[in-house]
């Protein structure tokens, strides 16, 4: 209960601290308000992208600077503003709270809480529109980011710092893949940001509920600009997500940001642009729609690691090496390792705050499988690969409904661990051959033995790659499963029993060969002895597996 | 569309007023006219079947003692039936004229004494340069103090502004937020 005394004290303090008698401001007059935008006469010196304050604490951003007017997008209720009202410059840019305090929260793109958990007590805010790090700050993708989905981690691997597009029609499981990926970061050091743009409130509520249920909200922040929010808010939402992710990235930590989805983001931007009377282009999108997405996705990056040579047991916040040199990236690490051999009592250490990453999983919804539409082609050309989902596969019961034929990861291969490469190469090959001959099988034509074997193998592997939602699998188990598949252990198991076979095999491995699983996970590579042990273990299990 | 039209009318009117050196007078007449013509009258004036328009406008011009420029302008508006633009034209004209004469508005809660005026004018000129025109206005809503506006800037030293700013500093701002105007 608030006491009268407290109120009095608070009021007195407010009075006591109040000094300013003069208030200088650059002001303009609102000449038009509506549809989420406002036109302001005056504000001659306002800068593009500057925050503008309207009456009743509504804020906007100046986007169009015209001859005698300024076009602003509004982030609050336009009902609070009237024609003739005053608009004033703030000299600030759009900012969003960042830091560990936002984790576990559901916020709107301006950082206002939506989860009823009180204000976000962040120590720091950052401007939303910043330039992506340049070439010299980056290094190629090299660590894996596991989605926990067999089909993706084996054939379309994603690396930290990569941008992998998830594209497909409605109801093909795009969001499910993103949510699974977030859930599968539970035991990793990756922080997650889920940005919902133009979605249904009920969908967002369900996703938040799911994430809570699986304990994923501890390391996740949800930014929500649902379909009921004004278009300007939807337009800035992904930039807010990228900004929060960058905070982690720039501290040497790792973050994953999901933009769900960028088609609706493009719609929101198209609406805002048309209302601001920018000329429409193809499909009525404005001319800078490509830049809209490219500048966003460029902010996903793997930053270069820097190494220094320090005395053993030196304090962890040391920024400078004994030889005054900083070694960069892989080459630098090798050089430093060579050099440290000649300096006894010293070690090579990563400079704190370097080598962070921000991985982006943008989502695009296609209409009737048309990936050659404007927005899908744009985003495909910006990203480092795409995961293509098809409704036909989905309804055929292949879930996740990934079309592995046209899905690619252009850089993730470098991030894949060797153990996975050892088994995934065969998997890709077998499935590719299967796709080639699968068409014949449908005609029931007579086939030679080799073709029949290929078809059989393909069917079993396709079945093996099916996976339930919310059940991400650690990489060592994926390797065991796929190893069993590509080495023919499944060929004589009835297709409908493969799911059970896999579950029981993994159970068996956990119980009888925990050390092997651990070794695969830690060494990231399988030598002859391990391969042999794995082979025997699976054969051993298969003897005990009874069909039916 | 109407915005562009009213801008054109305002520009043309300003040019004519400048030529005859009556920028100020035309401005005042415009304001007077706009406040004299209510919405009902404007609708009537723009009605195509309204036959006594010219007579009415002529008598109106006589009664208000309008300048030649304004008389001409009224005739033009009448012939084209554009009286519905009048409000916007006044607005536009005011802004354009303010720029042309370099107007600085000084608003105060009470009429200022001459001594104070001199003082204020001196400060304003030292701040914004000599080429400006100061118009003095009285606005009791300010409660006290001054508000100086010009060149897109506003210097607020009024009691009302101070109170509003103080209100924004209150630890509990819920009340200020939910406050609906008027």
């Amino acid at each position: 209960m608030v006491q009268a005394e407290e109120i009095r004290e608070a009021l007195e303090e407010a009075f006591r601290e109040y000094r300013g008698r003069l208030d200088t401001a650059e002001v303009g007059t609102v000449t038009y308000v509506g549809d989420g935008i406002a036109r302001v006469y005056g504000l001659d010196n306002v800068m593009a992208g500057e925050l503008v304050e309207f009456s009743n604490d509504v804020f906007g951003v100046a986007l169009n600077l015209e001859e005698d007017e300024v076009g602003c997008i509004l982030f609050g209720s336009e009902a609070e503003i009237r024609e003739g009202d005053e608009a004033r410059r703030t000299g600030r840019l759009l900012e969003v709270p960042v830091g560990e305090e936002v984790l576990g929260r559901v916020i709107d793109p301006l950082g206002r809480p939506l989860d009823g958990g009180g204000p976000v007590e962040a120590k720091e805010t950052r401007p939303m529109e910043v330039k992506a790090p340049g070439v010299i700050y980056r290094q190629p993708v090299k660590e894996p980011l596991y989605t926990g989905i067999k089909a993706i981690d084996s054939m379309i691997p994603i690396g930290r710092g990569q941008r992998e597009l998830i594209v497909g029609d409605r109801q093909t499981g795009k969001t499910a893949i993103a949510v699974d990926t977030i859930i599968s970061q539970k035991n990793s050091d990756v922080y997650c940001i889920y940005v919902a743009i133009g979605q249904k409130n009920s969908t967002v509520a369900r996703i938040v509920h799911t994430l809570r249920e699986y304990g994923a909200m501890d390391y996740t922040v949800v930014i929500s600009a649902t379909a009921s929010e004004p278009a300007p808010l939807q337009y800035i939402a992904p930039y807010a997500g990228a900004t929060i992710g960058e905070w982690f990235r720039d501290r040497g930590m790792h973050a994953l940001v999901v933009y769900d989805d960028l088609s609706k983001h493009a719609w929101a931007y198209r609406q805002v642009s048309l209302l601001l009377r920018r000329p429409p282009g193809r499909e009525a999108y404005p001319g800078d729609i490509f830049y809209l997405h490219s500048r966003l996705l460029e902010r996903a990056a793997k930053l270069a690691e820097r190494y220094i040579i320090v005395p053993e047991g030196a304090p962890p916040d040391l920024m400078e090496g004994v030889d005054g040199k900083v070694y960069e990236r892989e080459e630098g690490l090798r050089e430093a390792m060579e050099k440290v051999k000649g300096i006894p009592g010293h070690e090579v250490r990563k400079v704190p705050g370097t080598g962070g990453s921000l991985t982006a999983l943008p989502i695009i919804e296609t209409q009737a499988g048309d990936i050659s539409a404007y927005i899908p082609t744009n985003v495909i050309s910006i990203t480092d690969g795409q995961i293509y989902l098809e409704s036909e596969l989905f309804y055929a019961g292949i879930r996740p409904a990934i079309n592995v034929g046209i899905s690619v990861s252009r850089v993730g291969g470098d991030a894949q661990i060797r153990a996975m490469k050892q088994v995934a190469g065969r998997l890709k090959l077998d499935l590719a051959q299967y796709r080639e001959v699968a068409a014949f099988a449908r005609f029931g034509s007579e086939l030679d033995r080799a073709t029949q074997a290929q078809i059989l193998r393909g069917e079993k592997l396709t079945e093996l790659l099916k996976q339930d939602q919310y059940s991400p699998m650690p990489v060592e188990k994926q390797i065991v499963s796929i190893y069993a598949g590509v080495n023919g252990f499944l060929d004589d198991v009835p297709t409908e029993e493969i799911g059970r076979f896999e579950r029981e095999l993994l159970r068996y491995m956990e119980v009888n060969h925990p050390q092997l699983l651990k070794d695969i996970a830690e060494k990231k590579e399988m030598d002859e002895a391990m391969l042999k042990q794995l082979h025997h273990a699976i054969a051993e299990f298969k003897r005990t597996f009874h069909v039916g | 569309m109407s915005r562009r039209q009213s801008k054109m009318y305002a520009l043309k009117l300003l040019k004519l007023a400048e030529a005859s050196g009556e920028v100020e007078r035309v401005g005042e007449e415009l304001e007077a006219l706009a406040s004299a013509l209510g919405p009902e009258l404007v609708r009537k004036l723009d009605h195509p079947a309204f036959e006594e328009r010219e007579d009415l406008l002529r008598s109106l011009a006589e009664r208000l003692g309008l300048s030649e420029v304004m008389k001409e302008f009224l005739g033009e508006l009448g012939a084209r039936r554009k009286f519905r633009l009048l409000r916007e034209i006044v607005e536009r004209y005011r802004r354009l004229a303010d720029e042309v004469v370099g107007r600085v508005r000084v608003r105060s809660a009470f009429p200022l004494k001459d001594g104070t005026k001199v003082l204020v004018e001196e400060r304003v000129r030292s701040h914004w340069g000599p080429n400006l025109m100061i118009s003095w206005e009285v606005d009791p809503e300010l409660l006290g103090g001054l508000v100086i506006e010009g060149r897109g800037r506003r210097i607020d030293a009024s009691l009302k502004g101070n109170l509003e700013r103080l209100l924004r500093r209150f630890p509990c701002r819920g009340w200020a937020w939910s406050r609906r105007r008027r």
Side-chain angles (χ1 to χ4, degrees):
Chain A
M1 194 59 201
V2 185
Q3 298 294 311
E5 187 64 17
E6 283 175 40
I7 299 175
R8 202 183 57 106
E9 264 173 38
L11 285 179
E12 270 185 4
E13 197 175 300
F15 277 111
R16 204 165 36 240
E17 281 180 11
Y18 184 69
R19 287 282 177 276
R21 299 200 39 199
L22 251 170
D23 170 66
T24 318
E26 289 186 45
V27 292
T29 322
V30 176
T31 58
Y32 169 88
V33 113
D35 309 310
I37 67 149
R39 296 179 161 274
V40 180
Y41 178 85
L43 294 182
D44 295 341
N45 300 315
V46 77
M47 295 178 293
E50 185 178 327
L51 207 59
V52 177
E53 188 184 352
F54 293 88
S55 44
N56 291 329
D57 284 302
V58 176
F59 283 88
V61 162
L63 278 194
N64 266 21
L65 308 183
E66 289 158 23
E67 199 183 327
D68 55 359
E69 269 185 338
V70 179
C72 296
I73 52 174
L74 298 174
F75 298 125
S77 162
E78 60 204 34
E80 309 271 318
I81 306 174
R82 293 180 181 195
E83 204 181 305
D85 273 4
E86 167 188 304
R88 53 162 69 202
R89 277 187 68 180
T90 61
R92 285 183 293 143
L93 293 168
L94 210 49
E95 284 183 343
V96 66
V98 294
E100 269 154 2
E101 294 84 0
V102 299
L103 294 173
R105 303 300 304 267
V106 183
I107 55 175
D108 81 349
L110 296 171
R112 295 178 293 206
L114 297 174
D115 51 3
V120 179
E121 308 272 0
K123 292 184 202 77
E124 206 184 320
T125 61
R126 277 189 164 206
M128 254 185 228
E129 289 270 7
V130 294
K131 269 188 81 180
V135 181
I136 56 159
Y137 301 105
R138 298 183 184 234
Q139 81 176 28
V141 167
K142 59 165 196 174
E143 302 127 300
L145 183 122
Y146 294 119
T147 62
I149 298 166
K150 279 173 283 182
I152 296 176
D153 287 345
S154 60
M155 291 182 291
I156 323 154
I158 299 171
R160 293 188 180 177
Q162 186 177 347
R163 299 140 321 156
E164 181 81 7
L165 171 68
I166 302 173
V167 59
D169 279 6
R170 72 202 151 70
Q171 284 297 312
T172 49
K174 299 181 298 295
T175 304
I177 286 184
V179 170
D180 271 2
T181 307
I182 292 177
I183 291 173
S184 111
Q185 304 311 314
K186 184 153 190 174
N187 296 313
S188 77
D189 53 349
V190 177
Y191 297 95
C192 301
I193 300 131
Y194 178 83
V195 186
I197 310 151
Q199 296 198 50
K200 293 190 272 287
N201 273 307
S202 60
T203 313
V204 179
R206 209 183 53 227
I207 288 168
V208 171
H209 178 77
T210 308
L211 291 176
R212 282 233 167 84
E213 203 176 326
Y214 288 88
M217 280 308 276
D218 299 339
Y219 53 87
T220 303
V221 51
V222 175
I223 300 175
S224 168
T226 54
S228 61
E229 303 290 340
L233 220 51
Q234 297 181 37
Y235 153 60
I236 60 160
Y239 299 99
T243 308
I244 292 175
E246 277 171 339
W247 186 87
F248 293 106
R249 183 195 71 189
D250 296 344
R251 257 158 202 73
M253 298 189 262
H254 301 278
L256 163 77
V257 57
V258 176
Y259 304 117
D260 194 1
D261 64 79
L262 289 188
S263 334
K264 294 195 183 77
H265 180 233
W267 291 354
Y269 188 57
R270 173 169 63 184
Q271 178 185 330
V272 165
S273 295
L274 290 174
L275 289 168
L276 287 172
R277 299 194 192 160
R278 293 181 174 181
R282 183 173 158 191
E283 288 177 28
Y285 288 108
D288 62 342
I289 193 85
F290 184 87
Y291 181 56
L292 177 81
H293 288 148
S294 63
R295 73 170 189 264
L296 171 70
L297 293 168
E298 274 299 302
R299 290 164 71 174
K302 166 72 189 164
L303 296 186
E305 276 148 0
R306 284 152 212 270
Y307 300 93
I308 46 173
I309 299 174
V310 295
E312 271 170 32
D317 54 346
L318 212 59
M319 298 297 282
E320 208 167 310
V322 284
D323 54 354
K325 249 184 99 174
V326 175
Y327 301 88
E328 271 190 24
R329 305 191 183 87
E330 304 267 278
E331 318 86 79
L333 178 62
R334 273 196 296 275
E335 193 191 331
M337 285 307 231
E338 274 305 308
K339 196 164 176 193
V340 81
K341 280 180 195 158
I343 325 173
H346 285 66
E347 59 179 345
V348 177
R349 194 185 284 171
K350 200 173 91 176
V351 179
T354 67
S357 74
L358 176 63
T359 312
L361 287 182
I363 293 178
I364 288 277
E365 185 181 297
T366 53
Q367 305 296 326
D370 183 15
I371 45 169
S372 56
Y374 192 25
I375 302 302
T377 44
N378 274 357
V379 182
I380 284 171
S381 76
I382 301 163
T383 49
D384 307 307
Q386 67 273 352
I387 295 168
Y388 189 57
L389 304 174
E390 273 179 357
S391 28
E392 264 176 45
L393 294 174
F394 189 84
Y395 293 123
I398 300 170
R399 296 173 200 180
I402 300 168
N403 182 331
V404 288
I406 52 176
S407 299
V408 289
S409 171
R410 274 175 262 185
V411 296
D414 301 333
Q416 211 169 21
I417 62 170
R418 270 197 60 81
M420 182 55 105
K421 278 188 191 156
Q422 283 169 308
V423 295
R426 278 292 301 281
L427 177 66
K428 261 191 246 179
L429 200 67
D430 281 351
L431 282 174
Q433 286 174 343
Y434 165 65
R435 276 194 302 277
E436 240 168 51
V437 294
F440 299 122
R442 278 190 221 147
F443 298 122
S445 48
E446 288 200 10
L447 302 166
D448 59 275
R449 263 178 180 285
T451 315
Q452 276 178 0
Q454 274 173 4
I455 291 173
L456 183 75
R457 177 65 58 82
E459 277 169 1
K460 305 295 175 191
L461 289 178
T462 308
E463 187 65 28
L464 181 69
L465 290 178
K466 287 184 187 171
Q467 196 171 340
D468 287 338
Q469 213 177 334
Y470 314 134
S471 53
M473 199 182 272
V475 66
E476 61 274 13
K477 288 188 180 172
Q478 293 185 22
I479 290 170
V480 170
S481 284
I482 294 167
Y483 184 89
V486 295
N487 285 288
F489 286 105
L490 300 176
D491 291 358
D492 50 359
V493 178
T495 309
E496 61 278 6
E497 294 281 353
I498 284 181
R500 187 167 67 88
F501 181 94
E502 189 196 17
R503 273 195 305 280
E504 287 177 13
L505 168 66
L506 294 175
R507 205 70 244 276
Y508 172 84
M509 293 299 291
E510 259 175 33
V511 174
N512 296 305
H513 300 276
Q515 191 55 39
L516 182 63
L517 288 177
K518 220 173 136 199
D519 282 352
I520 297 175
E522 275 166 14
K523 291 184 184 153
K524 302 183 170 162
E525 190 172 353
M526 289 187 289
D527 54 25
E528 278 302 314
M530 284 164 76
L531 281 171
K532 203 172 270 173
Q533 196 193 344
L534 180 58
H535 202 94
H536 284 310
I538 299 173
E540 184 70 26
F541 164 74
K542 205 179 162 188
R543 263 198 292 283
T544 67
F545 182 77
H546 296 290
V547 174
Chain B
M1 199 57 214
S2 73
R3 286 142 51 90
R4 189 171 303 166
Q5 281 183 10
S6 47
K7 187 177 169 186
M8 298 301 276
Y9 276 108
L11 267 174
K12 188 75 193 161
L13 184 61
L14 182 70
K15 233 173 230 163
L16 291 173
E18 264 189 290
S20 63
E22 292 177 306
V23 177
E24 277 297 282
R25 183 173 167 199
V26 169
E28 280 158 22
E29 285 173 357
L30 260 182
E31 310 251 351
L33 194 68
S35 56
L37 296 182
E40 198 58 40
L41 202 50
V42 166
R43 211 169 305 133
K44 199 152 206 175
L45 278 168
D46 277 351
H47 200 286
F50 182 58
E51 285 173 3
E52 305 89 48
R53 185 184 297 115
E54 276 176 40
D55 296 335
L56 184 90
L57 288 177
R58 202 172 303 124
S59 67
L60 194 69
E62 293 299 322
R63 186 116 40 92
L64 293 171
L66 294 183
S67 60
E68 281 306 309
V69 178
M70 267 309 274
K71 275 184 193 159
E72 211 176 305
F73 174 70
L74 269 191
E76 189 72 10
L77 274 192
R80 295 181 191 271
R81 292 189 284 113
K82 296 284 186 198
F83 272 96
R84 69 198 140 83
L85 296 180
L86 190 63
R87 221 178 57 104
E88 248 177 86
I89 295 173
V90 174
E91 197 76 16
R92 290 267 173 183
Y93 183 90
R94 190 191 302 144
R95 287 181 204 149
L96 291 168
D98 282 1
E99 267 171 49
V100 166
V101 301
R103 189 191 319 275
V104 172
R105 288 173 199 278
V106 178
R107 287 191 288 141
S108 54
F110 308 98
L112 294 179
K113 288 194 207 90
D114 285 348
T116 323
K117 276 189 183 178
V118 171
L119 216 66
V120 170
E121 189 162 350
E122 211 169 84
R123 294 296 290 272
V124 168
R125 283 192 195 281
S126 73
H127 190 69
W128 270 315
N131 291 327
L132 49 81
M133 212 191 95
I134 297 180
S135 42
W136 308 91
E137 288 169 20
V138 174
D139 180 1
E141 265 198 24
L142 294 182
L143 302 177
L146 285 180
V147 174
I148 304 170
E149 286 169 317
R151 310 254 164 109
R153 298 186 72 84
R154 194 191 56 197
I155 300 163
D156 186 345
S158 70
L159 190 54
K160 183 189 174 210
N162 270 312
L163 285 173
E164 273 173 2
R165 267 167 274 147
L166 187 60
L167 191 66
R168 294 167 142 265
R169 291 174 54 92
F170 278 158
C172 158
R173 297 185 53 191
W175 176 71
W177 273 355
S178 63
R179 165 181 55 117
R180 286 276 183 284
R181 288 173 312 165
R182 289 182 280 269

